Amino acid sequence: MTATEILTLLENHELTVEEARQKLALEPSDELDYAKIDYHREVRTGVPEVIYCEGKTAEQICGIIANMRRHGAKRILGTRCSREKYEAAREVCPELRYEEAARIMLLEEETITKNKGRILVACAGTSDYGVAREAAVTAAFLGNEVEEVYDVGVAGIHRLLSRAEAFQRANVIIAIAGMEGALASVIGGLTDKPVIAVPTSVGYGANFGGVTALLAMLNSCASGVSVVNIDNGFGAGYMAHSINCLAGKRED
């Protein structure tokens, strides 16, 4: 029995609090030879354990997914996943789908109630597209309405200013940029919404693989800008979800 099922029984008064506690204590995790899957993570954080596929073999990923399915998982997110690993994973879970640009595989057999607010993903250039899609797909999977605007870097500031209405509609903004990373500061100076800055490794030599953009964003003079690590679209999508949860859930 999964933690979600136990909580549902508790809410429906089909279990007492003590019975639910005992059931939850029985199976907090499941251990494989190469992984210990945390089945209480969703109880603690509201989000099930996410599979980071990079560095894992296809066989290990298949084993983890098969274990999660045996535990009743109906929603699975695997990040930094190659198409080859995705195709292998479909052998144990044919219902998985793949987001090529984001390098994410997903299982969404269960519908979840969405948060009220909207997350805006603003991407400086087309070269940053993959990181932006990782952020957008992650945020949408976690239960958020996501709007995306692309190619609005500061080199053509009019393109950014023309999307001012999108900033007003958003509850949280993710600003993704490489090169000198100026997009986050500009957006931070145009809105009262929290801005999550994502530096990317896109840029010429002095970009130093994203370090220049990272340092620029960390030193932003715009208040209300926070920063995740280089190319960390997943982290930005997750953080935006955490903020957006404060708006509450939709009733429709």
Side-chain angles (χ1 to χ4, degrees):
M1 184 177 292
T2 67
T4 300
E5 290 170 338
I6 293 170
L7 291 175
T8 299
L9 291 173
L10 180 62
E11 291 171 355
N12 293 336
H13 306 290
E14 297 177 38
L15 284 178
T16 66
V17 172
E18 180 58 25
E19 287 171 337
R21 187 195 67 77
Q22 290 176 356
K23 286 183 178 294
L24 286 169
L26 289 175
E27 201 170 33
S29 62
D30 200 357
E31 192 163 356
L32 304 173
D33 291 338
Y34 45 82
K36 188 168 185 176
I37 305 168
D38 183 0
Y39 289 107
H40 273 194
R41 189 182 298 264
E42 187 170 8
V43 177
R44 300 192 310 272
T45 69
V47 177
E49 185 157 32
V50 175
I51 305 168
Y52 181 72
C53 299
E54 202 165 66
K56 293 183 176 69
T57 67
E59 291 75 16
Q60 289 169 339
I61 293 167
C62 288
I64 291 169
I65 291 175
N67 189 280
M68 294 174 79
R69 292 294 272 169
R70 285 196 296 272
H71 281 76
K74 296 180 179 179
R75 295 181 61 80
I76 295 174
L77 181 69
T79 65
R80 300 300 168 95
C81 182
S82 67
R83 175 163 284 280
E84 291 74 20
K85 290 177 180 178
Y86 160 70
E87 294 293 350
R90 288 189 66 209
E91 295 295 320
V92 297
C93 184
E95 298 81 8
L96 285 165
R97 67 181 179 87
Y98 189 61
E99 289 281 347
E100 188 84 46
R103 293 189 293 161
I104 284 177
M105 64 177 173
L106 312 94
L107 174 70
E108 296 176 288
E109 284 188 341
E110 186 176 63
T111 302
I112 59 176
T113 305
K114 289 188 177 294
N115 291 320
K116 288 181 179 178
R118 176 183 296 180
I119 295 171
L120 175 67
V121 177
C123 179
T126 308
S127 297
D128 305 306
Y129 181 75
V131 177
R133 285 297 294 157
E134 184 180 48
V137 172
T138 297
F141 174 85
L142 295 177
N144 303 276
E145 181 182 354
V146 179
E147 183 174 0
E148 301 167 70
V149 294
Y150 290 98
D151 206 16
V152 290
V154 299
I157 195 72
H158 58 287
R159 299 175 300 185
L160 178 64
L161 298 177
S162 70
R163 306 307 295 268
E165 289 185 5
F167 300 139
Q168 299 306 314
R169 289 192 294 266
N171 204 38
V172 190
I173 299 168
I174 299 174
I176 299 170
M179 300 292 186
E180 84 286 18
L183 180 64
S185 290
V186 175
I187 291 177
L190 294 173
T191 181
D192 61 349
K193 312 298 172 56
V195 177
I196 301 169
V198 187
T200 74
S201 52
V202 171
Y204 297 104
N207 173 262
F208 298 114
V211 173
T212 296
L214 172 64
L215 294 177
M217 290 171 171
L218 287 171
N219 285 283
S220 173
C221 62
S223 302
V225 175
S226 60
V227 188
V228 298
N229 211 339
I230 299 167
D231 292 336
N232 190 7
F234 166 76
Y238 193 110
M239 178 58 70
H241 162 71
S242 298
I243 295 171
N244 203 33
C245 280
L246 300 176
K249 301 292 184 181
R250 295 183 181 180
E251 297 178 358
D252 52 10

